Amino acid sequence: MDHTQHNKLANFIWLIADDVLRDVYVRGKYRDVILPMTVLRRIDALLEPTKAKVLKMKAFLDEKKVSTQSAALAKEAGFSFYNASPYTLRSLLRSPQADGGQLRGLPRRLLRQRRRDHGEVQLPGQLPKLFNADRLGMLIQRFVSPDINLSPEPVLDLKGGVKHPGLSNLGMGYVFEELIRRFNEENNEEAGEHFTPREVVRLMASLLFVPIKDQITDGTWLVYDCACGTGGMLTEADGMLHELAETHHKKLSTHLYGQEVSDETYAICKADLMIKGEDEKNIRFASTLSDDQFKRVEFDFMLANPPYGKSWKADLEKLGSGDGKKGVSDPRFVVSHDGNPEFSLVTRSSDGQLMFLVNMLSKMKGAATGLGSRVATIHNGSSIMTGDAGQGESNIRQWIIENDWLEAVIGLPENLFYNTGIATYIWVLTNRKPAHRKGKVQLIDATQWFTKLRRNLGKKNCEFSPAQIDQILATFVDFKPGEQSKIFDNREFGYWQITVERPLRLRVDLGKENLDALRKASNGDDALMAVTATVAAKLGAGPHRDFNAVRKSVAAAAKKAGTKLTDKRWKQWRASLTTVDPTADAVVWVEDDGTLIREADPELRDHENVPMTDTIEAYFAREVLPHVPDAWIDEEKTVKGYEIPFTRHFYKYQALRSLEDIAKELLELEKRSDGLLATVLGGVA
């Protein structure tokens, strides 16, 4: 289907909303009628050619008193669904007895949905309002208009030429998603609520299948999308897999699985797959993160464009039983890794995009046999960089890279998607890397490989041409370093985050003002004041820059006086009598077991990221000690982290213009402006 037909149909249906529903619905509610009506008309158009046969079979079965009729009626209809009602949308307009009651039954009959099934097209609830406003007939009339064709068969003119081409299932998907995009844009939906352009889906499917096309064998293959929306990715993947099978003379079958949390797009996906003869029961309505519908299923191929920049706090609370991250015990998100049996893969509640990837990776088939599993997913820049060492995002990257599952990250052009212009990336993963890719990750910069659109579609102002998809795919398959392709060892993305401490330096002042502060802080603790007075008399008011010596004197005076220096008393003493002073001696002392304790100044604490290609000792000696020779590393706080600094690896320095060039341009502009000014003023008397 070309984009001209796609846009023409979407425009026509969009105008129906404005023409028919104005003054009956607010604009934000148009979608509640138009989208299910589009689905309904599509199914109605599919069933029109076999309508007479179905009704004839229905009458025969009723006459024979056959109670189980579904299989026979579906066979006559030519689909897994049928309409045994005497009405179609077109015939309703010609029936004087027809009203909202007849139409109300059509969606249920056409989709064969049960009451408990969230996938029912939600049109029946809107019918009384439409009927009472005298808009129902007008709505049906516009959808069965001879000016559009939602049937897969072409409409011919009187001379036998094609007046309206047939609308394929893929084309129907385009129309659905374009309408949803427009409604989302009209309602100011979030940037993360967007739909994936078909050329991007084509690229993702190619990255999944083409590299292993020679290894795909006869058999059954399972494809999964954990955020399936209207099912476009599943449809594209299914089509490409069968194309490759036909080319390589293989006989295979596919089963498509998907989960979606939006009831609207879920219903469209289910109806679309039903139209194509797929088992729609494999499409489930629930939140993937908190209510996984495929707990014990493993998949061969997985692809998704999960929501990003979107809160998943509600899911987190369900997973954690109200205890947030600490309460999460789902085996998808808490794993054994890097010596930690409870390695957390739980991200910030403000953005759960990587959680969808973790969910998919938990469903990989074993790598020991077959092809294992292959995954392609889209993320924004947050997933490659956000999160310090030890945090959920970094842990997920560590878990993926140290398991050697990441094959490539591909940077996409900005403004490639309909509702957002931000930078996006395709991640390609597998648990069965070919030998030449083991221990390696490829970064591909495809940000400049695009074709500009003549007219924007929302935020989308560019697309991939088939040649550009082939170019990206060839770069991936060739696996060679170049200007747009960089290849790294896994460990080059890892780093150690070390905590650099510097000594606390305290000055002690035993003057009257500080002693009064101590008396107040200790609520007149006479024993503590007596010990302090003894030390002040011995050492003088100060200030004293050797805290350690004063501390020993206080301890000795307390012991002699029989006063116990509790932690509380020490805290009061230090808070009242000491001040941080960079010229003072470092605070150190020796424990009873001989251990030397150095007290760190929390205000001077710093963190350094040491690349795993270096050693911590060499880095510290080279980069830290020359600047702060009194520093040390708190080894207990050292944490491993991973990030993928994509932009840094493809950054190209552009030299600044010379001062001479800038001055020359300014002079030229000045001359031009003087000429314009003279022209303007010349006409003033």
Side-chain angles (χ1 to χ4, degrees):
M1 172 187 171
D2 60 39
H3 283 298
T4 303
Q5 184 193 6
H6 152 224
N7 288 331
K8 181 180 178 181
L9 284 170
N11 287 337
F12 189 94
I13 296 171
W14 181 258
L15 289 175
I16 294 176
D18 225 19
D19 292 345
V20 178
L21 303 182
R22 183 184 292 274
D23 301 327
V24 180
Y25 291 83
V26 296
R27 291 183 68 86
K29 294 293 184 180
Y30 286 180
R31 63 188 294 161
D32 295 346
V33 174
I34 295 301
L35 291 177
M37 191 66 190
T38 304
V39 176
L40 184 58
R41 173 54 185 152
R42 170 65 172 181
I43 296 174
D44 183 55
L46 288 170
L47 296 176
E48 277 183 331
T50 58
K51 183 66 177 177
K53 293 171 61 179
V54 170
L55 292 179
K56 183 178 180 181
M57 176 59 70
K58 172 68 174 170
F60 172 78
L61 295 174
D62 288 344
E63 181 183 346
K64 298 296 183 181
K65 294 183 170 47
V66 177
S67 58
T68 306
Q69 302 181 358
S70 295
L73 295 176
K75 182 178 180 181
E76 292 298 318
F79 296 95
S80 62
F81 53 95
Y82 57 89
N83 175 18
S85 161
Y87 294 104
T88 64
L89 289 179
R90 202 182 299 277
S91 67
L92 275 174
L93 292 176
R94 300 192 297 265
S95 173
Q97 294 83 21
D99 59 18
Q102 283 81 0
L103 182 60
R104 191 176 293 116
L106 282 178
R108 294 188 178 92
R109 290 190 180 97
L110 288 172
L111 297 179
R112 297 190 300 136
Q113 302 291 359
R114 295 182 295 273
R115 183 180 299 277
R116 67 177 180 271
D117 192 338
H118 295 278
E120 183 176 346
V121 175
Q122 300 297 323
L123 186 60
Q126 306 297 331
L127 294 180
K129 187 173 183 177
L130 289 166
F131 188 71
N132 292 335
D134 198 25
R135 300 296 175 91
L136 185 55
M138 188 185 305
L139 181 68
I140 297 173
Q141 188 173 36
R142 294 295 294 274
F143 268 95
V144 299
S145 165
D147 294 329
I148 62 168
N149 180 26
L150 293 181
S151 164
E153 300 300 324
V155 174
L156 305 180
D157 58 25
L158 296 176
K159 296 181 179 180
V162 176
K163 181 180 179 182
H164 298 300
L167 183 62
S168 67
N169 288 329
L170 178 61
M172 193 69 241
Y174 271 114
V175 174
F176 280 145
E177 296 195 0
E178 173 63 8
L179 288 170
I180 293 171
R181 179 194 70 77
R182 294 191 190 187
F183 283 123
N184 282 355
E185 196 171 69
E186 186 78 19
N187 294 341
N188 294 317
E189 297 283 352
E190 298 178 40
E193 299 284 346
H194 62 269
F195 297 87
T196 314
R198 276 298 184 272
E199 78 273 11
V200 178
V201 179
R202 184 78 180 175
L203 171 60
M204 293 172 68
S206 299
L207 291 165
L208 282 183
F209 302 132
V210 173
I212 58 163
K213 60 185 179 181
D214 296 329
Q215 303 172 53
I216 296 176
T217 60
D218 296 344
T220 301
W221 300 86
L222 275 59
V223 185
Y224 172 60
D225 183 346
C226 61
C228 64
T230 58
M233 286 194 177
L234 292 173
T235 300
E236 185 67 41
D238 184 54
M240 182 174 291
L241 195 51
H242 280 89
E243 284 177 17
L244 290 172
E246 185 176 346
T247 301
H248 289 75
H249 308 292
K250 302 295 182 182
K251 295 181 179 180
L252 56 82
S253 63
T254 55
H255 294 295
L256 307 181
Y257 294 76
Q259 189 162 339
E260 175 57 37
V261 72
S262 167
D263 56 354
E264 185 176 81
T265 50
Y266 162 72
I268 292 172
C269 177
K270 197 157 187 173
D272 189 40
L273 291 184
M274 188 169 60
I275 289 168
K276 296 167 185 171
E278 296 287 342
D279 185 358
E280 73 274 12
K281 294 185 180 66
N282 290 337
I283 306 301
R284 306 285 176 82
F285 176 79
S287 172
T288 297
L289 300 186
S290 61
D291 188 8
D292 180 17
Q293 295 289 300
F294 304 104
K295 288 186 174 66
R296 287 173 289 279
V297 186
E298 295 177 340
F299 301 98
D300 301 287
F301 303 105
M302 292 173 266
L303 68 173
N305 181 7
Y308 37 77
K310 185 177 180 182
S311 171
W312 69 289
K313 189 174 182 179
D315 290 299
L316 179 58
E317 289 179 355
K318 291 179 183 178
L319 286 170
S321 301
D323 194 23
K325 292 183 183 181
K326 294 181 181 178
V328 175
S329 59
D330 191 308
R332 292 176 295 167
F333 307 128
V334 179
V335 299
S336 177
H337 181 73
D338 198 27
N340 181 356
E342 296 184 351
F343 191 77
S344 175
L345 304 175
V346 182
T347 67
R348 300 162 297 149
S349 63
S350 59
D351 188 356
Q353 58 182 298
L354 278 175
M355 302 297 290
F356 287 88
L357 175 55
V358 173
N359 167 72
M360 288 191 287
L361 295 176
S362 73
K363 302 180 184 304
M364 292 191 296
K365 288 190 171 181
T369 58
L371 297 178
S373 295
R374 292 184 62 77
V375 178
T377 180
I378 298 176
H379 295 285
N380 67 5
S382 173
S383 288
I384 62 175
M385 292 290 289
T386 300
D388 285 337
Q391 294 182 343
E393 292 85 355
S394 177
N395 282 358
I396 291 171
R397 292 189 291 265
Q398 177 186 343
W399 177 63
I400 289 172
I401 294 173
E402 289 186 351
N403 277 303
D404 201 19
W405 292 334
L406 183 60
E407 281 196 314
V409 176
I410 302 168
L412 304 179
E414 294 182 354
N415 298 305
L416 187 62
F417 291 83
Y418 298 115
N419 279 17
T420 178
I422 61 177
T424 50
Y425 303 83
I426 295 177
W427 294 41
V428 184
L429 308 96
T430 180
N431 61 346
R432 195 174 184 191
K433 277 187 179 181
H436 67 286
R437 284 187 177 269
K438 286 188 179 296
K440 306 285 186 181
V441 175
Q442 183 181 19
L443 303 185
I444 299 175
D445 179 15
T447 57
Q448 302 305 311
W449 295 343
F450 60 83
T451 301
K452 294 290 286 186
L453 295 177
R454 288 187 296 176
R455 186 171 65 86
N456 289 7
L457 295 172
K459 297 284 182 65
K460 181 179 175 64
N461 65 9
C462 62
E463 64 180 358
F464 288 132
S465 67
Q468 287 158 345
I469 291 175
D470 291 342
Q471 184 180 16
I472 296 169
L473 187 61
T475 304
F476 174 82
V477 172
D478 289 346
F479 194 62
K480 295 177 181 177
E483 189 174 356
Q484 266 70 47
S485 171
K486 310 287 184 183
I487 298 172
F488 301 90
D489 290 333
N490 285 348
R491 62 198 299 264
E492 292 185 71
F493 299 111
Y495 63 91
W496 298 102
Q497 185 180 83
I498 61 173
T499 300
V500 178
E501 302 282 18
R502 293 180 61 190
L504 178 65
R505 300 177 183 275
L506 295 178
R507 182 184 75 235
V508 184
D509 190 338
L510 301 175
K512 183 179 182 304
E513 185 177 340
N514 283 11
L515 292 176
D516 289 343
L518 176 60
R519 185 180 303 279
K520 183 177 180 180
S522 65
N523 293 319
D525 186 334
D526 292 336
L528 180 60
M529 294 304 301
V531 168
T532 305
T534 300
V535 174
K538 178 182 177 182
L539 301 179
H544 303 281
R545 286 180 169 78
D546 187 351
F547 172 83
N548 307 299
V550 177
R551 184 178 184 277
K552 288 180 180 179
S553 295
V554 172
K559 184 177 182 181
K560 186 175 181 180
T563 300
K564 186 176 182 180
L565 292 177
T566 61
D567 288 342
K568 181 179 178 180
R569 280 173 164 170
W570 263 120
K571 288 179 181 178
Q572 292 169 345
W573 192 90
R574 282 184 54 161
S576 302
L577 304 180
T578 65
T579 305
V580 175
D581 184 346
T583 66
D585 293 344
V587 176
V588 297
W589 70 89
V590 180
E591 296 282 10
D592 294 338
D593 62 359
T595 303
L596 179 67
I597 303 298
R598 295 181 290 183
E599 190 166 350
D601 186 343
E603 296 297 322
L604 298 179
R605 182 173 296 134
D606 198 5
H607 300 282
E608 293 280 336
N609 291 342
V610 182
M612 285 187 182
T613 52
D614 204 344
T615 65
I616 293 176
E617 295 77 11
Y619 179 93
F620 186 70
R622 183 179 68 250
E623 303 292 341
V624 178
L625 289 180
H627 308 287
V628 281
D630 58 355
W632 73 91
I633 299 172
D634 186 342
E635 295 181 355
E636 292 184 357
K637 295 179 181 177
T638 298
V639 186
K640 189 187 294 185
Y642 277 78
E643 63 181 13
I644 306 172
F646 190 96
T647 304
R648 183 196 311 166
H649 291 303
F650 291 99
Y651 173 74
K652 294 179 181 178
Y653 173 74
Q654 293 184 347
L656 297 175
R657 298 170 61 196
S658 68
L659 291 176
E660 291 79 6
D661 289 342
I662 295 173
K664 184 178 179 180
E665 184 175 338
L666 289 173
L667 289 172
E668 182 63 29
L669 289 171
E670 186 177 4
K671 289 179 182 178
R672 290 168 58 189
S673 63
D674 286 346
L676 289 171
L677 185 61
T679 301
V680 172
L681 294 178
V684 179

